[in-house]
Amino acid sequence: MYGNVGSQPGVQQSQTSLPPNPFGSAFNVAGSGLIRGGLGAYGGKILGSSSEYVQSNISRYFSDPQYYFQVNDQYVKNKLKVVLLPFLHRGHWTRITEPVGGRLSYKPPIYDINAPDLYIPLMAFGTYVILAGLSLGLHRKFSPEALNLLFIKGLLGWFMQAALLKVTLLSLGSGEAPLLDIIAYAGYTFTGICLAVLGRIILGYSYYFLMPWTCLCMGVFLVKTMKRVLFAEVRSYDSSRHHYLLLFIALVQFPLFTWLGNITINWLL
Amino acid sequence: MLAGRTGNLDLHTCTSVVGYCLLPVVIFSALSLFLPVDGVIRLSVAAVFVLWATRASAGLVVSFADGGDEHRGLIAYASFLIYTLFSLLVIF
């Protein structure tokens, strides 16, 4: 009799726990999907390319997606400083290279502050979704459907940012930057957005100061990084065209940040 | 969890640890049935349970993974995100 009564609350608890699972799964699926998609793209590139230099570079990254997750606490701290306060980065923006078996390859993030990683973008994206949910909840508008919608919106923003960077690099004659690099650079966007959204949750009016500030910082960061990527790849140099396109990247940050930072139920807003 | 990929941690161990440490969140779900709808109290209780789950999860993962001490902060933050997500669904 007593045992029977005891099992009933257990069943209730179990049922209560089941609904949240889909969202947890969505996170994992999205994460692995990103990496798998990137690897697929690399595979296509390998088949289509016969260049020794390109092939060695691509096989380098194709065989080692974990390169992007070789991080530690110190790297993350310093990288966040670089992303959020690019003006204070006094060192150079060039990635450190080392000769490996006669080929030139980059040092992993744990040794090089300028190397891209995928840990910060993924964590920033997760933080963005959770902060969005928290913001909606505080306004009594929270629902799992809204959370799912914001998740898709974030992914769409990430994709648009990555596409922008990729198209810019291609139009400047440099299409050899690895796809995961582009995805990582685009993902840093969420770091600034999280800061702005957090500011709005805590103090409503600080949002209007933080949003332009984070847009500016992200613009500066992307311009510096993309400039370095270009110089590493491009042999010819067309000064004015480069500068205009890099400036275009910085300017696009403002509408993108505003769209992602505006957390509502509505799709387009 | 992603930072742990450089070590000997496999997917099954990660899933197992995350599942075990969901228990505090489950307790919070049951407890929330009796809590008043006041926002501040619920948020405070949720914060306590999420921190409890995060601490337990980080401790377990660090003990499992090689060189886990170096990544403790990173692992803890990933766990924090997961349990906060579940808690959001409980709170609101």
Side-chain angles (χ1 to χ4, degrees):
Chain A
M1 174 68 72
Y2 181 79
N4 234 359
V5 172
S7 67
Q8 198 67 18
V11 172
Q12 282 185 356
Q13 291 182 22
S14 173
Q15 288 177 351
T16 306
S17 300
L18 280 180
N21 269 331
F23 291 98
S25 303
F27 263 107
N28 295 327
V29 170
S32 62
L34 276 175
I35 298 179
R36 193 174 298 119
L39 293 178
Y42 287 131
K45 253 188 173 181
I46 290 181
L47 294 180
S49 169
S50 59
S51 166
E52 175 66 19
Y53 173 75
V54 174
Q55 196 148 9
S56 67
N57 260 329
I58 292 181
S59 62
R60 170 81 172 86
Y61 290 109
F62 181 83
S63 62
D64 193 8
Q66 291 188 1
Y67 165 91
Y68 294 92
F69 292 103
Q70 297 182 42
V71 295
N72 61 2
D73 292 348
Q74 188 175 1
Y75 167 83
V76 170
K77 225 174 294 178
N78 291 329
K79 190 68 176 182
L80 284 176
K81 270 190 250 175
V82 170
V83 172
L84 295 176
L85 297 169
F87 316 105
L88 302 183
H89 186 48
R90 304 193 190 285
H92 56 82
W93 290 84
T94 313
R95 293 171 69 178
I96 303 174
T97 58
E98 58 179 351
V100 172
R103 292 199 309 269
L104 211 60
S105 65
Y106 294 119
K107 277 180 177 289
I110 202 169
Y111 301 115
D112 180 12
I113 188 61
N114 292 317
D117 72 300
L118 280 175
Y119 176 84
I120 293 180
L122 285 175
M123 293 300 111
F125 180 76
T127 307
Y128 165 76
V129 174
I130 288 181
L131 286 179
L134 191 63
S135 177
L136 283 179
L138 293 177
H139 290 91
R140 310 291 176 185
K141 299 178 191 169
F142 180 87
S143 70
E145 289 77 19
L147 203 66
N148 193 30
L149 192 69
L150 283 160
F151 180 81
I152 295 175
K153 185 178 179 182
L155 276 186
L156 191 63
W158 196 340
F159 173 78
M160 284 164 52
Q161 179 86 311
L164 166 72
L165 298 181
K166 189 66 176 178
V167 167
T168 304
L169 286 180
L170 283 174
S171 62
L172 290 177
S174 163
E176 297 178 4
L179 186 60
L180 283 183
D181 274 17
I182 302 298
I183 292 176
Y185 290 133
Y188 290 126
T189 304
F190 290 100
T191 309
I193 296 179
C194 290
L195 198 65
V197 174
L198 185 65
R200 179 156 71 173
I201 292 178
I202 295 177
L203 182 65
Y205 294 115
S206 66
Y207 177 80
Y208 299 105
F209 167 76
L210 280 175
M211 183 56 85
W213 174 257
T214 52
C215 287
L216 187 61
C217 291
M218 180 53 59
V220 171
F221 171 79
L222 283 180
V223 166
K224 298 267 187 182
T225 307
M226 288 298 112
K227 183 187 289 184
R228 197 50 51 189
V229 170
L230 286 170
F231 287 167
E233 300 282 348
V234 173
R235 302 292 182 263
S236 64
Y237 180 73
D238 184 357
S239 174
S240 60
R241 190 147 160 265
H242 278 67
H243 288 165
Y244 286 141
L245 275 170
L246 291 178
L247 190 63
F248 175 72
I249 289 182
L251 288 182
V252 170
Q253 303 308 306
F254 287 88
L256 186 68
F257 267 60
T258 305
W259 178 63
L260 283 175
N262 193 18
I263 299 173
T264 58
I265 306 294
N266 198 327
W267 245 110
L268 293 179
L269 293 181
Chain B
M1 307 308 161
L2 303 167
R5 289 194 189 184
T6 54
N8 64 338
L9 214 54
D10 55 10
L11 186 59
H12 292 157
T13 306
C14 283
T15 309
S16 177
V17 169
V18 173
Y20 272 117
C21 296
L22 267 174
L23 286 178
V25 179
V26 173
I27 296 175
F28 170 61
S29 300
L31 193 61
S32 67
L33 295 176
F34 308 101
L35 286 180
V37 194
D38 187 12
V40 178
I41 295 180
R42 275 174 163 255
L43 281 179
S44 306
V45 176
V48 170
F49 279 97
V50 166
L51 289 180
W52 173 13
T54 301
R55 184 176 182 82
S57 178
L60 279 173
V61 173
V62 165
S63 64
F64 280 138
D66 292 338
D69 284 328
E70 196 177 49
H71 300 97
R72 187 187 185 97
L74 308 182
I75 293 168
Y77 190 70
S79 307
F80 174 77
L81 286 186
I82 294 175
Y83 301 125
T84 305
L85 180 67
F86 286 132
S87 296
L88 273 185
L89 297 167
V90 177
I91 296 171
F92 302 119

